[in-house]
Amino acid sequence: MDPLYVQVHARDNVAILVNPEGLPAGARFPDGLTLTERIPQSHKVALRDFDQGDPVIRYGQIIGHATRSFRAGSWVREDLLDLPSAPSLDELQLSTAVPAPLPKIDGYTFDGFRNSGGAVGTKNILGITTTVQCVAPTVDYAVRRIRAEILPRFPGVDDVVAITHTYGCGVAIDAPGAAIPIRTLRHIGAHPNLGDAPLVVSLGCEKLQPARLFPDGGFPILESDPYLIRLQNETLHGFGDMIAAIMRAAEKRLEQLSRRRRTACPASDLVVGLQCGGSDAFSGVTCNPAVGYAADLLVRAGATVMFSEVTEVRDAVHLLTPRAINEDVARDLIREMKWYDDYLARGSADRSANPTPGNKRGGLSNVVEKALGSVAKAGSTALMAVASQGERVTAKGLVFAATPASDFVCGTQQLASMNMHVFTTGEGTPYGLAMVPVIKVSSRTALAERWPDLIDLDAGRIATGQASIADIGWELFRSILDIASGRRKTWADHWGLHNALAPFNPGPVT
Ligand code: CA
């Protein structure tokens, strides 16, 4: 292909190189710009000469200042720009540029499992909740037996999932931070894909007692509950009894779950969690804007769309607080940024700890550039609500649900609310979750071609001009409805790639 770069915003003085193999020194673009050195794909090229201290602008925003002078056509690497300080949380515009609502779109439905409480499932799963890591291998063993011996008799049930995790004991359970993993696990145990039908396995002596995991309301757990199995219970003699008790309860639950039927549900019953992982410099040009377009479509259809990852929003917060529907929502967003600033400071870190070696190899110089590309996922609508770490989202429209940026931690925490997951990636990851479908969208065609059996949608076609952001956005929107209906499977579900749950515990371990 001919030399090609992508300039996102008219003000930008750097652009992203598109050619898959990169380009050598001397390569000349149609506008006459000539490379002074070799530049790899997805890295930045200087569109003009820079003096030391000049702002480097991408997405129309300053991503850093030149640490020395360099010429047009140079490779703008990480060491050529300094990291600007994060936007001050005290001087933000609150709800000053609320976007007007986009026209509603009606008539889009998916076939979901409606629960008695009103929430809608996209899968029909028996989930076995655990209160503590000690019981995890026992539950894993029981799940293997249930899958082999009982599940085949219930073809209407998609899977049996052990909801195991590393929390539950050896932790300061009354410390303020403990509320976060506990409410995350509570909401996961009550997930709509589990059909309002929890089955809980407890050890007996752990700190996270079943009644603490599920207090009054939701699922009051009684000691006499046939769906609560305590391994230390005196009536259970040995491992054989434990497994038999879990399998008996599982069979009863499977009978109930097998009566669930998919019915047509409006798209407004979707709660879609957005995330990125292994991002590159294309992510903010191709997959994230396409996901943002789909996010706008979902909002227009009345659904809930959650974006997350505090450290990837922190440097773009000045673009988001003006979009908040009111000043209270803007202040809620600032509160979550402040909480995370303090959390990082306690660990002697700051948001510059976010970018990974892979991000940098993919052309992202620093967290500012990463954040500006990341928030493109949030589309263009008003920010309707903010949820704290681990809280369940109830609002419709675009919502910020605070989470860490780590893929598996963010995914675990988004499970507190979402029934569908969209994940964008540049470097690639085989990531998946057992409880909800994970649709993986690639930033580059080269990745989609190298991983045709892992990537569900290729947004790289946007960079080469083969598809528009709107084309890919609509394609993703329709894929979400198909996959939520069980008509199509994601590659992660096809292969059974299901990452372990990793609840975020900012509290002390004892
Ligand atoms: Ca992530």
Side-chain angles (χ1 to χ4, degrees):
M1 70 191 282
D2 293 333
L4 180 64
Y5 64 70
V6 181
Q7 179 183 6
V8 179
H9 192 281
R11 281 182 63 205
D12 291 359
N13 52 24
V14 294
I16 301 305
L17 199 132
V18 175
N19 301 72
E21 309 302 325
L23 287 174
R28 194 179 157 88
F29 294 94
D31 63 0
L33 180 73
T34 305
L35 295 192
T36 61
E37 59 192 312
R38 205 196 113 67
I39 303 184
Q41 187 199 27
S42 76
H43 283 251
K44 290 182 288 298
V45 55
L47 297 179
R48 65 161 174 83
D49 295 340
F50 282 73
D51 288 327
Q52 187 180 358
D54 281 354
V56 179
I57 298 173
R58 199 180 161 203
Y59 301 110
Q61 304 285 327
I62 296 171
I63 61 168
H65 294 87
T67 52
R68 59 175 173 79
S69 60
F70 50 88
R71 286 166 48 208
S74 299
W75 179 7
V76 185
R77 292 183 306 268
E78 182 192 353
D79 59 315
L80 284 186
L81 61 166
D82 66 357
L83 179 67
S85 51
S88 163
L89 294 178
D90 302 323
E91 296 157 13
L92 295 166
Q93 304 274 312
L94 309 184
S95 192
T96 48
V98 184
L102 295 172
K104 285 199 182 336
I105 54 173
D106 292 321
Y108 291 96
T109 62
F110 69 103
D111 297 331
F113 297 98
R114 189 172 295 284
N115 295 309
S116 51
V120 172
T122 54
K123 286 187 177 190
N124 190 20
I125 292 174
L126 171 63
I128 304 183
T129 295
T130 59
T131 51
V132 66
Q133 166 68 18
C134 310
V135 306
T138 301
V139 173
D140 286 336
Y141 179 94
V143 163
R144 285 198 295 277
R145 292 269 311 268
I146 296 163
R147 277 201 188 125
E149 297 169 31
I150 310 178
L151 187 63
R153 285 193 276 121
F154 300 99
V157 182
D158 295 318
D159 202 2
V160 181
V161 173
I163 304 176
T164 57
H165 54 84
T166 54
Y167 197 70
C169 209
V171 289
I173 203 145
D174 294 314
I180 292 172
I182 294 172
R183 65 187 175 220
T184 303
L185 290 168
R186 175 180 307 143
H187 297 317
I188 290 174
H191 195 278
N193 285 4
L194 309 183
D196 287 341
L199 171 54
V200 181
V201 176
S202 149
L203 180 60
C205 56
E206 69 273 23
K207 283 191 168 167
L208 182 57
Q209 288 288 306
R212 185 157 191 158
L213 182 59
F214 295 119
D216 317 336
F219 302 123
I221 292 281
L222 307 170
E223 287 306 306
S224 58
D225 192 322
Y227 300 108
L228 168 60
I229 293 137
R230 283 183 185 271
L231 301 189
Q232 289 170 344
N233 192 316
E234 291 187 2
T235 62
L236 296 177
H237 293 267
F239 187 68
D241 262 11
M242 296 173 191
I243 298 301
I246 297 171
M247 288 179 73
R248 264 197 312 276
E251 182 158 2
K252 279 194 220 136
R253 279 291 188 233
L254 284 168
E255 279 164 12
Q256 296 158 4
L257 289 165
S258 70
R259 290 196 284 272
R260 300 174 87 201
R261 292 288 176 270
R262 288 189 184 270
T263 56
C265 300
S268 56
D269 284 319
L270 287 168
V271 182
V272 181
L274 308 178
Q275 208 203 147
C276 48
S279 297
D280 66 7
F282 272 121
S283 295
V285 182
T286 58
C287 52
N288 290 352
V291 168
Y293 193 93
D296 284 354
L297 293 174
L298 287 160
V299 169
R300 292 169 64 187
T304 300
V305 179
M306 304 189 294
F307 68 113
S308 295
E309 307 177 90
V310 174
T311 49
E312 286 171 24
V313 164
R314 180 67 183 83
D315 282 275
V317 69
H318 58 295
L319 306 177
L320 292 167
T321 50
R323 276 171 64 183
I325 190 72
N326 58 44
E327 291 192 5
D328 284 343
V329 170
R331 275 190 279 269
D332 288 347
L333 183 64
I334 294 167
R335 177 197 68 216
E336 292 306 317
M337 298 294 121
K338 174 86 171 70
W339 186 93
Y340 218 91
D341 281 358
D342 294 345
Y343 165 74
L344 289 172
R346 281 203 301 281
S348 303
D350 63 28
R351 91 273 195 229
S352 69
N354 177 308
T356 64
N359 292 152
K360 291 182 177 175
R361 191 172 62 238
L364 289 174
S365 295
N366 61 32
V367 71
V368 181
E369 185 178 14
K370 187 172 172 179
L372 292 168
S374 178
V375 297
K377 296 196 298 297
S380 65
T381 58
L383 179 65
M384 302 304 289
V386 171
S388 291
Q389 303 271 350
E391 274 184 358
R392 175 166 277 186
V393 169
T394 53
K396 298 286 188 186
L398 181 69
V399 178
F400 179 74
T403 72
S406 158
D407 299 350
F408 36 90
V409 180
C410 170
T412 299
Q413 213 160 289
Q414 286 188 331
L415 274 178
S417 306
M418 69 180 166
N419 55 17
M420 178 61 66
H421 198 22
V422 174
F423 189 99
T424 64
T425 185
E427 298 286 312
T429 165
Y431 168 85
L433 294 170
M435 286 185 52
V436 300
V438 179
I439 301 176
K440 290 203 289 291
V441 185
S442 75
S443 75
R444 288 174 299 129
T445 298
L447 175 63
E449 285 175 350
R450 184 156 46 88
W451 287 10
D453 48 6
L454 287 169
I455 298 297
D456 298 291
L457 182 61
D458 171 25
R461 290 172 285 159
I462 294 167
T464 51
Q466 292 164 282
S468 67
I469 286 171
D471 292 338
I472 304 289
W474 272 106
E475 200 175 325
L476 176 58
F477 177 71
R478 293 200 173 94
S479 296
I480 289 170
L481 296 177
D482 272 354
I483 290 166
S485 303
R487 287 192 289 269
R488 218 184 101 194
K489 263 190 177 180
T490 62
W491 280 114
D493 278 341
H494 174 84
W495 300 118
L497 304 178
H498 297 148
N499 283 72
L501 295 183
F504 175 39
N505 175 27
V509 173
T510 60

